[in-house]
Amino acid sequence: MGALIKGLLLAMGVTLGSLPQEAPEPVASPVVAMELLVEPLEIQAGMFFDGASFRVSALVPEGLGITVSCVGGKEPVVLNRKGRALGIIWMNLGEVEIDGAPDLYLLHASGDLGEVATSASLTESGVGYAAVEGRATMTGAEGEEDRFFDEFVRLKESDGLFLISEEAMEEVPGPEGLVRVSVEFRLPAKTPPGDYQILVHGFGGEGGVLLGTTTLRVTQVGMAAFIRDLAIEHGLVYGIMAVVVAIAVGLFTGVIFGLGSKKAH
Amino acid sequence: MNFPIYLPVAGNAVSIPLLLGLGGTVGFLSGLFGVGGGFLLTPLLIMIGIPPTIAAASDSNQIVAASSSGTYAHARAGSVDFKMGLLLLLGGIAGGSVGVYLIKLLRATGNADFVITVTYVLMLGSIGGYMFAESLRSIRLGPPTHREEARPSLYSRVVNSLPWQVEFPRSNVRLSILMPLLLGVLVGTLAAIMGVGGGFIMVPVMVYLLRMPMHVVVGTSLFQILFTCINVTVLQARMNHTVDFVLALILLIGSVIGAQLGAMTSKRLKADQLKILLAVIVLGVTAKMLLGLLVTPEHLLSYRGGH
């Protein structure tokens, strides 16, 4: 298996010390055939969903720095931008639109990210916050893009939707020249339903290569899915139902308490 | 997290006991003072991780339950002035449309957020401050003397000179129907600008400008809030898909019970005690808002929507 991977790398003209100079999109990078397991591959969000864990394990060449990332969809997001009005009052002063940044970005590295790879190779491979920033466009914060991208990351981190973990991964010796790395991810309850790319990158010398990729799916199921679908597809019926139930519960409680107070007299 | 439940529209999980507690507390205040409680609950929901637009819309949904429960309790006690409530409601609907139009104009000029923030703090601060001072004075000195009542103020003379005077027997006042209509427009406009139900403005308006007795004010305010929030809930569900029924359901289970307890407690307290308690809460919220305006925020970016 190790010889296979090394052979593939050589066949592609890729050596770990001299990777392509172009900055490819992560998924478009050359993918080296390898064993990549995600368990489970689908996460179901029902009424008692409180976030979920999944484990990624991969068979990778020994001696490489490894990053494993989970990357969400890239819908544009509009956020309120706070600033000082009249020099003293903090309030919303405008909007910032960020396009091309994922709604979820969780990254586990096999060590300190600065030691796993150079910043140039991380950016080339689309790994890390700087690479995410490089692929995103921001409007509404002209001249302050870096500052507000940092703020965006801090906001996402506070929701558990962005994370860079540099704790050591579990490593088990594999077949000749290979090692099996595995890492557990924790998706927060705020994770939007959708498809998430799992990307495994290997770094050596000054270059990096995409070793494997697969897709994790998060879906709403059961009553949660029914309520969400009703809310989105039949808003008027849903609104009337919500009001009728609220009035019924309100009046029912009123009657129950009314009976109680009559008995008390 | 203890006993979490997933909110399918909000897309987040929250603790059921926490939501029941929040709903119960706000429902209690609703039954006690006749306010919807949106100005308290929506920021609390945002703090526990509910997106602002969903917090505001779902809050309206739960207020429907709390206010129907509270209105029922007050109606049984004979403390809802339906005639006055309907006139205020008509004015409020017209005022809401005016407010929405004003906000649209302000947004076009880029000043909306500043005007909303300043209006919010000034309204809360002035209403809370006036209620507090007046209630304190009333508790210390007792009700106004006959000598004071014998000399009508300029406000009383203007009000008495308005046409279409009618009796409101439940409130024991005689007023022109223009008064509740115009004040309804004023409160509706302010409520739409601030993005709240308006109960905390309506209650002082009824007490000080319509001169209604406090126990009738609470029931009548709840009656009016009920219809306002039905309208908001259906509109939000239809236009923006921002009502999370699961969130609203858990909140309302807490709030309807709280509203009943609040209505019971309301009967045991004197009018001035009720007013001063509401004033303290309004002033507390004002202080919290002022602090939020002056202290550097934790995040310079925030999700859109909410109050």
Side-chain angles (χ1 to χ4, degrees), chain B residues 129-149 208 272-273 275-276 279:
Chain B
Y130 181 79
M131 280 182 77
F132 186 83
E134 193 274 339
S135 311
L136 201 62
R137 180 182 159 278
S138 189
I139 288 170
R140 278 182 180 166
L141 305 176
T145 62
H146 290 292
R147 188 177 59 81
E148 281 173 328
E149 286 174 355
Y208 298 115
D272 287 325
Q273 291 172 322
K275 280 190 273 182
I276 207 161

Side-chain angles (χ1 to χ4, degrees), chain A residues 45-51 77-86 88-96 98 138 147-149 151-152 154-156 158-159 161 188-193 220 223-225 227-228 231-236 238-243 245-251 253-255 257-259 261-262, chain B residues 1 3-14 16 48-51 61-66 68-70 72-73 76 110-115 117-118 226 229-231 233-234 237-239 241-246 248-249 252-253 256-258 260-261 264 267 292-305:
Chain A
M47 287 308 295
F48 298 101
F49 176 69
D50 184 24
V77 59
V78 181
L79 300 160
N80 287 325
R81 178 170 60 86
K82 287 190 195 307
R84 280 188 191 275
L86 307 174
I88 49 166
I89 301 173
W90 283 99
M91 55 185 298
N92 293 331
L93 289 183
E95 290 173 346
V96 169
I98 300 172
M138 185 182 290
R147 179 182 175 218
F148 278 99
F149 188 81
E151 287 293 331
F152 171 69
R154 286 207 313 121
L155 182 69
K156 288 283 192 177
S158 69
D159 284 338
L161 294 169
K190 271 192 171 180
T191 305
Q220 285 189 342
M223 186 59 82
I227 291 173
R228 188 181 168 87
I232 291 170
E233 288 164 23
H234 307 283
L236 181 60
Y238 176 83
I240 292 170
M241 182 200 77
V243 162
V245 172
I247 293 174
V249 174
L251 292 180
T253 319
V255 171
F257 272 78
L259 292 175
S261 64
K262 271 183 190 168
Chain B
M1 190 189 294
F3 307 105
I5 190 156
Y6 183 66
L7 310 174
V9 177
N12 199 3
V14 285
I16 296 174
I48 63 168
I50 309 297
N61 190 188
Q62 78 81 23
I63 292 172
V64 170
S68 57
S69 175
Y72 178 79
R76 282 182 67 249
N111 294 319
D113 285 331
F114 183 76
V115 172
T117 308
V118 170
L226 169 63
C229 286
I230 287 174
N231 185 39
T233 304
V234 174
R238 188 179 170 210
M239 312 290 286
H241 315 294
T242 45
V243 175
D244 194 309
F245 179 63
V246 178
L249 187 66
L252 70 83
I253 289 170
V256 289
I257 296 169
Q260 291 294 328
L261 298 175
M264 284 178 191
K267 283 184 225 158
L293 290 174
L294 298 174
V295 177
T296 306
E298 189 185 351
H299 297 290
L300 294 184
L301 291 176
S302 63
Y303 299 105
R304 289 199 301 173

